Amino acid sequence: MTDGAVTEAAHVLVAADKFKGSLTAVEVAERVTAGLRRAAPDVTVEALPVADGGDGTVAAAVAAGFERREVRVTGPLGDELTAAYALRDGTAVVEMAEASGLQHLPKGVFAPLTAGTYGSGELLRAALDAGARTIVFGVGGSATTDGGAGMLAALGGRFLDADGQPVGPGGGGLRDLATVDLSGLDPRIAATDIVLASDVDNPLTGPKGAAAIYGPQKGASPEDVDTLDAALAHYARVLEKTAGGGAAESALSPGAGAAGGIGYGALVGLAASFRPGIEVMLDVLGFGPALARATLVITGEGSLDEQTLHGKAPAGVAAAARARGIEVIAVCGRLALPAEALGRAGIRRAYALTDLEPDPARCMAEAGPLLERMSAGIARDFLT
């Protein structure tokens, strides 16, 4: 054993997120496992793909034993698509990106002012129909900035203009909002524990709000950002006036700005409780019992950078492992953190694919074989 990290009775827990654009979390776990066993054939490896509430959350739940359910819903541009959620023992894992994510937009096409979250509401309703009484609502990767108005409309809310007509879709439509009526919301919501799982804690509006921070990646121009921020602020004022319930205060709450403000809609309309996504998902996926069996943890994601340290999956995994005194190794496509920062996060050492293949395009195209090769090196360093 080169680094003297673990004992002969090693039990490795692979709990990594996806390498975005290259490998799913399930594929990461498969490649790491194959590489470890290539160099240390007798090692016990347990795979638990993880996610932090963004895209890939349903897949992680299914890999952990949840049942995958599919339903036809309305996409962000109004077209019909198939979306999935996960269900087990009355708990549903619903991923808004499945219905309203950027991946559903045609390549190069954005709709910052009109993309809506109606399909996310339909996905939540499907989970209620299936008998879910606890819903983990993972938000991230959205194509939308509508404050969750579309989601609430799908669940029975009414968003009307001065003439009593429904406002248009997306954040742009909220400019015409005159009144909100949430009295028709699905009554099952009140009897359901809904957890808003997100890796961001932005407020709804302002310089750190949904439009300003995340609008540009959804195709919003500076003018669009101003329009959307003003529309969301107007939305919060109308909700406070017509629906009450501390709607204005909730706009300042952590997570309100998540996924184009759908976090705000969940907090106000669904009485959701906000928790960091990775914390929720580790609980749901059974990470605690798996960690108790481990002598070494391997985590990671596509890019280990400053964002990783702020609520991303590897940071959550490392924090939990460190609390139990278990060593953590990280794998990634690209490493942009110094050793000191990794150490503070509880990560002993990080291995990057770019160390094996410096060309980014080839690195992404060949991520699977490279990760397997790199994991064999980890086994030689820590398991033999």
Side-chain angles (χ1 to χ4, degrees), residues 200-245:
V200 303
D201 57 5
N202 303 72
L204 180 64
T205 59
K208 294 186 178 180
I213 299 299
Y214 303 109
Q217 65 191 228
K218 304 170 191 183
S221 67
E223 295 76 18
D224 291 336
V225 167
D226 290 343
T227 295
L228 288 167
D229 192 62
L232 290 172
H234 174 64
Y235 170 51
R237 288 192 297 269
V238 174
L239 263 173
E240 178 69 20
K241 183 173 65 175
T242 63

Side-chain angles (χ1 to χ4, degrees), residues 301 304-312 314-316 337-338 341-342 344-347:
E301 63 179 345
L304 282 181
D305 52 32
E306 274 298 320
Q307 282 194 331
T308 303
L309 305 178
H310 300 285
K312 292 290 188 180
L337 288 173
L342 291 170
R344 288 194 298 271
I347 297 170

Side-chain angles (χ1 to χ4, degrees), residues 167-269:
V167 298
L174 297 176
R175 291 173 293 184
D176 302 321
L177 187 65
T179 186
V180 176
D181 179 4
L182 299 182
S183 64
L185 282 176
D186 192 316
R188 296 173 295 180
I189 293 169
T192 304
D193 180 20
I194 300 177
V195 181
L196 175 66
S198 173
D199 66 350
V200 303
D201 57 5
N202 303 72
L204 180 64
T205 59
K208 294 186 178 180
I213 299 299
Y214 303 109
Q217 65 191 228
K218 304 170 191 183
S221 67
E223 295 76 18
D224 291 336
V225 167
D226 290 343
T227 295
L228 288 167
D229 192 62
L232 290 172
H234 174 64
Y235 170 51
R237 288 192 297 269
V238 174
L239 263 173
E240 178 69 20
K241 183 173 65 175
T242 63
E249 184 178 346
S250 293
L252 303 174
S253 298
I262 201 171
Y264 176 67
L267 292 170
V268 173

Side-chain angles (χ1 to χ4, degrees), residues 45-294:
V45 184
E46 182 174 357
L48 188 74
V50 298
D52 54 21
D55 48 322
T57 294
V58 165
V62 171
F66 279 65
E67 178 190 354
R68 178 183 171 91
R69 297 282 188 97
E70 292 187 347
V71 62
R72 297 292 285 175
V73 301
T74 305
L77 301 184
D79 49 333
E80 196 175 72
L81 54 84
T82 299
Y85 66 97
L87 184 70
R88 182 173 68 185
D89 300 331
T91 295
V93 175
V94 176
E95 178 186 324
M96 73 86 62
E98 277 281 323
S100 311
L102 276 168
Q103 74 264 31
H104 294 306
L105 298 183
K107 187 174 177 62
V109 174
F110 295 98
L113 298 178
T114 57
T117 57
Y118 195 90
S120 291
E122 293 175 312
L123 205 50
L124 289 167
R125 193 171 65 220
L128 293 171
D129 291 343
R133 290 298 171 262
T134 297
I135 297 177
V136 175
F137 188 33
V139 301
S142 74
T144 60
T145 312
D146 75 347
M151 170 192 71
L152 294 175
L155 291 166
R158 300 174 72 218
F159 298 83
L160 308 174
D161 63 19
D163 296 323
Q165 298 300 310
V167 298
L174 297 176
R175 291 173 293 184
D176 302 321
L177 187 65
T179 186
V180 176
D181 179 4
L182 299 182
S183 64
L185 282 176
D186 192 316
R188 296 173 295 180
I189 293 169
T192 304
D193 180 20
I194 300 177
V195 181
L196 175 66
S198 173
D199 66 350
V200 303
D201 57 5
N202 303 72
L204 180 64
T205 59
K208 294 186 178 180
I213 299 299
Y214 303 109
Q217 65 191 228
K218 304 170 191 183
S221 67
E223 295 76 18
D224 291 336
V225 167
D226 290 343
T227 295
L228 288 167
D229 192 62
L232 290 172
H234 174 64
Y235 170 51
R237 288 192 297 269
V238 174
L239 263 173
E240 178 69 20
K241 183 173 65 175
T242 63
E249 184 178 346
S250 293
L252 303 174
S253 298
I262 201 171
Y264 176 67
L267 292 170
V268 173
L270 309 181
S273 58
F274 171 75
R275 284 183 65 194
I278 186 58
E279 288 184 14
V280 181
M281 290 306 299
L282 291 183
D283 285 348
V284 167
L285 298 175
F287 179 74
L291 184 61
R293 296 186 287 270

